[in-house]
């Protein structure tokens, strides 16, 4: 298995919290594994056997007859490493081309210690060959320079957001949601964020649209894990993502203004990937072997139902919700879906998702199951459960007893992925479509899509399984400030967040920026925000119009951890050139459609010069770029490469780089891993050998510390040092390219 190891450092105002490698924890934890561990590392004493597990699943017959031994053998084998090329950026095809034509070709003919290396293979069911799996191990990686180069490529591209390390089965739920750019999406239990990243990519399928109408609200109950989620989301540089921190089973109902009227926010798509016992992850989380017991599922069943119910309450009529677990246990799977369908009284139906992923092998959901205690005692019906067990075992854990009701549920439309069928982890997924408002949202026959005033004061019907909404303040926060909820409204825990302050159209910051970059008249000024209510504004961020709407109308009921993409950073020295704010690479693709000045068109050779030389003189650019640069004054610039359809050896996608035009020189102002990414796109490979040398034999002048390169601030994440205009002429800051 390819091992990816890095540390994420999270900095807040007063607390520095270090996240090391996170493991999947069974039982009650929301964690399902954040970074792959070395197969067997630290687990040599764990024997991959659990007789209770084998007995339980033999009796349940979820595995086809005659395949159980093969199933158990697969569970004991290491899980292949899988990667996904992000479809969010127009660079996805270029990455795929590089992988297939360079790294995969080199690997397929390679032998290490007389053993032929198994070439990576595409996942047959993932569209456009954008997901691959490989069985390369750490031991083999260490023995081959070619494989080490491949490994460095994967790590670097992952950090720049162009490749995602993600378990194969984890990629399934977002695909089944059928995301479109206008969809409002809720990810209920989002951390660590690999599925969230997929949702964002799908939202931005058209890169010519900087602000899709849709957005993703990514929630997690664990405050610390929310920052890990922020790190994942920030690699994608989207203005359409918001990270919030709530208990998914009681996540607040949000409101927004629509045509001057305040309405309830209902989501078009909801991903409900609930906390589970994780017995489908035994191939990568070996400690589950010794910790597994049936009581894990019994303890989680109620929480899973509450989260799922809260999800469908907030789903728009006609919307889709995907419920998923990495557990094979029907108590966490079909039992939850059956309970949900029964509570809905026809408002929900299971969709047939079989045509959506041709090539994916799965088993249909089961309609009959029984329950076993950790002592090995079986119950097939609620009526047989003794009173002493009623607090542990609930009626919803059993299949419906009415045959007609059971048949109408169509539980066979659920999908259970077994490890031995396509060499994956174990997984369960079900797609629910909302046909009508939930019964408890329409006690008088009224629609759940009623205005806020009609919904807000409702009394839940008797037996309502949802957690009722708490009273809310509906007024928009004054002065365009969206702060964290006050302590009396909501219990605060974790790190203290700075407020989100939206700038007004007449903010004095705008005129110099507008003039310097010649922003087009349709530039959405109202979408610009800062995290500082008082004092100088150092960073400017942008969110989509729809997320601004959500922020302003829900400041008292929602704990926002992070939102927006950084577009400008203050550079005081820039004031003498006409603008105190330089462009930020993170938001360049969001801003560029509105920028009409300060643009230099460059060619492939210019890209190579700008990204391999630290502070090249203007004359080192090609004649065309040089002439453009001479006409510009000093300050922040856009360096734009446009593809030439006739030159098929050059990148066939546009590239925008932030830069700085100095007195006699020019500089690309791009984070290290993005530099490596763009260099590979133009045919330059930068590779470190074990002595830290580049492939051209030179060494770095100054290596960035891990802490500096991977630091994650609560306000912004940047692996670029703050730019000082004077430094461009007086000396180097540091080498950013390996």
């Amino acid at each position: 298995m390819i091992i990816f190891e890095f540390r994420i450092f999270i900095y807040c105002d007063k607390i520095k919290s270090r996240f090391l490698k996170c493991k999947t924890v069974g039982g009650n934890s929301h964690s399902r594994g954040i970074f792959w561990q070395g197969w067997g590392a630290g687990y040599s004493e764990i024997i991959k056997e659990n007789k209770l597990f084998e007995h339980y699943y033999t009796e349940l017959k979820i595995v086809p007859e005659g395949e159980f031994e093969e199933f158990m053998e697969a569970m004991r084998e290491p899980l292949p490493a899988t990667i996904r090329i992000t479809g969010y950026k127009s660079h996805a095809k270029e990455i795929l081309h590089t992988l297939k034509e360079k790294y995969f070709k080199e690997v397929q003919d390679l032998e290490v210690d007389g053993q032929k290396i198994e070439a990576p293979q595409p996942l047959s069911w993932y569209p456009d060959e954008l997901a691959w799996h490989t069985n390369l191990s750490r031991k083999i990686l260490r023995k081959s320079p070619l494989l080490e180069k491949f490994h460095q490529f994967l790590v670097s591209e992952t950090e720049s957001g162009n490749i995602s390390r993600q378990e194969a089965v984890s990629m399934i739920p977002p695909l089944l949601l059928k995301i479109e750019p206008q969809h409002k999406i809720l990810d209920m239990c989002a951390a660590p964020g690999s599925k969230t990243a997929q949702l964002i990519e799908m939202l931005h399928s058209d890169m010519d649209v900087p602000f899709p109408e849709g957005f993703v609200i990514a929630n997690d109950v664990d405050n610390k894990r929310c920052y890990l989620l922020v790190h994942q989301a920030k690699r994608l540089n989207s203005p359409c993502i918001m990270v919030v921190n709530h208990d998914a089973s009681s996540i607040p109902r949000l409101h927004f203004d629509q045509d001057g009227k305040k309405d309830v926010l209902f989501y078009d798509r909801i991903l409900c990937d609930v906390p589970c016992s994780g017995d489908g992850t035994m191939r990568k989380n070996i400690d589950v072997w010794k910790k597994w017991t049936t009581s894990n599922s019994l303890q989680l069943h109620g929480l899973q139902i509450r989260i799922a119910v809260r999800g469908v309450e907030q789903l728009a009529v006609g919307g889709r919700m995907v419920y998923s677990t990495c557990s094979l246990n029907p108590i966490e799977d079909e039992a939850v879906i059956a309970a949900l369908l029964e509570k809905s009284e026809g408002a929900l139906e299971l969709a047939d998702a079989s045509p959506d992923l041709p090539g994916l092998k799965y088993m249909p959901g089961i309609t009959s199951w029984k329950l076993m205690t950790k002592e090995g005692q079986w119950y097939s019906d609620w009526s047989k459960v003794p009173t002493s067990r009623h607090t542990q075992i609930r009626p919803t854990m059993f299949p419906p007893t009415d045959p007609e009701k059971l048949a109408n549920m169509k539980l066979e439309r659920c999908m259970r992925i077994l490890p031995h069928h396509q060499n994956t982890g174990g997984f369960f997924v079900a797609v629910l479509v909302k046909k009508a408002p939930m019964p408890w949202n329409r006690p008088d026959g009224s629609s759940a899509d009623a205005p806020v005033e009609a919904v807000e004061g409702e009394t839940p019907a008797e037996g309502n399984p949802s957690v009722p909404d708490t009273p809310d303040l509906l007024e928009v926060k004054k002065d365009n400030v969206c702060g964290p909820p006050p302590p009396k409204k909501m219990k605060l825990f974790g790190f203290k967040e700075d407020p989100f302050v939206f700038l007004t159209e007449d903010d004095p910051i705008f005129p110099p920026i507008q003039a310097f970059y010649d922003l087009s008249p349709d530039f959405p000024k109202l979408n610009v925000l800062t995290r500082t209510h008082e004092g100088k504004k150092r960073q400017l961020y942008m969110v989509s119009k729809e997320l601004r709407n959500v922020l302003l109308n829900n400041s008292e009921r929602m704990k926002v951890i992070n939102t927006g993409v950084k577009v400008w950073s203050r550079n005081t020295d820039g004031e003498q050139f006409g603008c105190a704010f330089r462009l930020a690479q993170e938001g360049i693709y969001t801003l560029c459609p509105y920028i009409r000045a300060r643009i230099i068109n460059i060619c492939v050779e210019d890209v190579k010069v700008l990204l391999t030389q630290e502070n090249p003189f203007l004359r080192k650019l090609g004649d065309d770029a040089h002439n453009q640069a001479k006409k510009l004054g000093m300050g922040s610039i856009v360096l734009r490469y446009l593809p030439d359809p006739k030159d098929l050896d050059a990148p066939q996608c546009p590239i925008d780089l932030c830069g700085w035009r100095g007195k006699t020189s020019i500089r690309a102002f791009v984070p290290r891993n993005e530099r490596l990414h763009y260099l590979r796109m133009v045919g330059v490979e930068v590779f470190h050998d074990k002595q830290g040398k580049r492939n051209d034999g030179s060494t770095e002048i100054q290596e960035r510390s891990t802490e500096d390169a991977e630091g994650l601030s609560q306000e912004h994440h940047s692996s670029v040092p703050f730019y000082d205009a004077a430094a461009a002429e007086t000396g180097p800051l540091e080498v950013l390219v390996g």
Side-chain angles (χ1 to χ4, degrees), residues 589-607:
Y589 290 101
T590 299
L591 271 186
C592 266
Y594 304 103
I595 295 176
R596 301 185 296 185
R598 310 288 304 169
I599 299 171
I600 298 176
N601 292 305
I602 57 176
C603 65
V604 168
E605 292 306 313
D606 294 329
V607 173

Side-chain angles (χ1 to χ4, degrees), residues 606-662:
D606 294 329
V607 173
K608 294 177 182 178
V609 168
L610 289 162
L611 296 182
T612 56
Q613 298 184 31
E614 191 176 341
N615 207 24
F617 289 111
L618 295 176
R619 64 175 180 269
K620 291 195 174 183
L621 297 177
D623 290 342
D624 188 28
H626 186 194
N627 289 331
Q628 295 175 64
K630 286 193 296 185
K631 295 175 184 177
L632 293 179
M634 294 174 65
S636 189
I637 55 172
V638 177
L639 299 158
R640 175 169 296 166
Y641 163 81
L642 295 175
D644 180 359
K646 297 177 183 177
D647 185 3
L648 297 180
D649 292 330
Q652 293 300 300
C653 61
I655 297 173
D656 286 328
L657 307 174
C658 284
W660 186 271
R661 201 289 201 195

Side-chain angles (χ1 to χ4, degrees), residues 478-732:
K478 293 180 180 179
D479 301 323
N480 287 341
V481 179
C482 302
K488 291 182 181 178
K489 285 285 171 188
M490 185 182 299
K491 181 181 177 183
L492 290 181
F493 53 92
F495 304 125
K496 181 180 182 297
E497 288 297 323
D498 289 328
F500 296 85
V501 185
F502 283 95
L503 305 188
T504 58
E505 283 203 64
D506 57 354
D507 193 296
I509 275 183
F510 277 128
I513 294 176
Q514 179 94 38
F516 192 72
Y517 297 102
D518 189 18
L519 299 180
S520 59
D522 60 341
F523 176 73
K525 292 180 182 179
L526 294 178
N527 294 16
V528 179
L529 62 87
T530 181
R531 298 298 299 269
T532 314
H533 191 38
E534 298 175 356
K536 271 193 173 182
K537 301 173 177 66
R538 300 197 64 83
Q539 315 287 348
L540 299 181
Y541 305 84
M542 289 192 76
V543 295
S544 65
K545 179 180 70 174
E546 288 73 19
L547 270 188
R548 178 183 186 274
N549 191 337
V550 173
L551 271 168
L552 287 175
N553 284 285
N554 298 279
S555 61
E556 299 296 333
R557 66 172 65 82
M558 184 172 60
K559 185 178 180 187
V560 180
I561 300 297
N562 200 284
T563 192
V565 59
K566 184 168 69 172
V567 289
W568 281 294
S569 290
R570 179 177 288 276
N571 182 355
T572 307
D573 289 333
E575 268 185 80
Q576 61 185 298
F577 310 129
C579 183
F581 285 89
R582 65 166 179 83
L583 297 166
Q585 183 67 29
E586 295 96 311
I588 193 69
Y589 290 101
T590 299
L591 271 186
C592 266
Y594 304 103
I595 295 176
R596 301 185 296 185
R598 310 288 304 169
I599 299 171
I600 298 176
N601 292 305
I602 57 176
C603 65
V604 168
E605 292 306 313
D606 294 329
V607 173
K608 294 177 182 178
V609 168
L610 289 162
L611 296 182
T612 56
Q613 298 184 31
E614 191 176 341
N615 207 24
F617 289 111
L618 295 176
R619 64 175 180 269
K620 291 195 174 183
L621 297 177
D623 290 342
D624 188 28
H626 186 194
N627 289 331
Q628 295 175 64
K630 286 193 296 185
K631 295 175 184 177
L632 293 179
M634 294 174 65
S636 189
I637 55 172
V638 177
L639 299 158
R640 175 169 296 166
Y641 163 81
L642 295 175
D644 180 359
K646 297 177 183 177
D647 185 3
L648 297 180
D649 292 330
Q652 293 300 300
C653 61
I655 297 173
D656 286 328
L657 307 174
C658 284
W660 186 271
R661 201 289 201 195
K663 188 182 298 181
T664 59
S665 62
I666 197 162
R667 180 190 182 106
F669 208 58
V670 181
R672 179 180 180 275
N673 281 309
E674 285 194 55
R675 285 185 177 235
L676 301 182
H677 163 67
Y678 290 126
L679 281 170
R680 292 188 185 101
M681 287 180 65
V682 296
V684 177
E685 183 179 2
V686 182
F687 167 63
H688 285 268
D689 62 19
K690 292 181 181 179
Q691 282 72 44
K693 292 184 178 181
R694 297 209 306 261
N695 62 331
D696 61 2
S698 62
T699 56
E700 289 188 351
I701 296 174
Q702 182 176 350
E703 181 70 30
R704 295 187 63 78
S705 68
T706 304
E707 185 169 313
D708 215 15
E710 296 173 351
L712 177 63
S713 161
Q714 65 180 31
E715 294 190 15
H716 63 281
H717 177 210
S718 173
S719 52
V720 202
F722 187 78
Y723 190 86
D724 181 357
E729 307 307 324
T730 58

Side-chain angles (χ1 to χ4, degrees), residues 84 123 125-127 131 166-179 194-195 198-199 202 271 273 320 322-325 353 356-357 359-362 415-418 422 424-431:
R84 181 173 53 78
L123 298 181
W125 45 267
Y126 202 96
Q166 186 175 355
E167 189 178 345
V169 289
S170 170
M171 304 175 192
I172 295 172
L175 293 175
L176 295 180
L177 277 172
K178 297 184 176 180
I179 302 296
S194 55
K195 297 183 187 71
Q198 256 181 294
L199 300 176
M202 293 172 180
L271 177 55
D273 186 49
R320 289 166 77 93
V322 169
Y323 175 90
S324 61
T325 75
D356 296 337
L357 293 178
L360 177 67
K361 295 180 181 177
Y362 66 92
M415 307 166 79
R416 181 176 278 102
I417 290 89
L418 299 178
Q422 286 181 304
T424 65
F427 206 70
F428 175 88
V429 63
V431 181

Side-chain angles (χ1 to χ4, degrees), residues 316-371:
V317 173
R320 289 166 77 93
M321 183 175 93
V322 169
Y323 175 90
S324 61
T325 75
C326 46
S327 168
L328 301 172
N329 199 325
I331 306 301
E332 303 177 59
D333 298 339
E334 285 91 347
V336 174
I337 296 299
L340 203 56
L341 292 170
E342 188 162 9
K343 291 175 189 296
S344 79
E345 298 178 8
L348 300 173
E349 80 170 21
L350 266 172
D352 180 7
S354 57
D356 296 337
L357 293 178
L360 177 67
K361 295 180 181 177
Y362 66 92
M363 296 302 297
I366 59 177
T367 56
S368 174
W369 63 88
K370 50 188 177 178
L371 182 151

Side-chain angles (χ1 to χ4, degrees), residues 222-389:
D222 189 305
N223 185 264
K224 291 181 180 179
R225 282 166 57 84
C226 281
Y227 289 91
L228 192 59
L229 184 56
V230 169
H231 174 74
Q232 282 275 59
K234 277 186 174 293
R235 294 185 304 124
L236 297 171
N237 299 327
S238 170
C240 303
I241 170 73
M242 179 189 295
V243 176
V244 299
N245 180 203
H246 293 278
D247 179 349
S249 64
S250 57
I251 190 168
R253 176 174 291 165
L254 303 182
H255 308 126
F256 72 118
D257 283 326
Q258 185 155 338
D259 301 325
K261 174 182 169 186
K262 200 173 293 292
D263 280 340
V264 174
L265 173 60
F266 287 95
Y267 300 95
D268 302 296
R269 298 290 186 266
I270 293 180
L271 177 55
C272 186
D273 186 49
V274 296
C276 65
S277 60
D279 58 19
T281 70
M282 285 179 165
R283 299 184 67 177
K284 67 173 182 178
N285 299 301
I286 311 174
D287 54 349
V288 178
W289 281 97
K290 67 176 184 179
K291 293 180 179 179
W292 187 91
T293 172
T294 55
S295 60
N296 294 340
S297 296
L298 302 182
Q299 292 167 5
L300 285 165
H301 173 84
L303 173 63
Q304 291 162 342
I305 288 182
R306 291 196 301 276
I307 292 174
V309 166
R310 192 57 176 160
V312 294
E313 282 180 334
Q314 303 207 27
L315 186 65
V317 173
R320 289 166 77 93
M321 183 175 93
V322 169
Y323 175 90
S324 61
T325 75
C326 46
S327 168
L328 301 172
N329 199 325
I331 306 301
E332 303 177 59
D333 298 339
E334 285 91 347
V336 174
I337 296 299
L340 203 56
L341 292 170
E342 188 162 9
K343 291 175 189 296
S344 79
E345 298 178 8
L348 300 173
E349 80 170 21
L350 266 172
D352 180 7
S354 57
D356 296 337
L357 293 178
L360 177 67
K361 295 180 181 177
Y362 66 92
M363 296 302 297
I366 59 177
T367 56
S368 174
W369 63 88
K370 50 188 177 178
L371 182 151
M372 184 178 74
T373 65
K374 64 179 180 180
E375 295 81 18
Q377 188 170 4
W378 290 93
Y379 297 103
S380 57
D381 189 273
W382 166 250
S383 62
K384 308 278 180 58
V385 179
T387 307
S388 60
R389 295 273 191 179

Side-chain angles (χ1 to χ4, degrees), residues 118-133:
E118 182 181 335
Q121 298 295 323
L123 298 181
S124 61
W125 45 267
Y126 202 96
D128 304 321
E129 290 191 334
L130 291 177
W132 295 70
H133 71 87

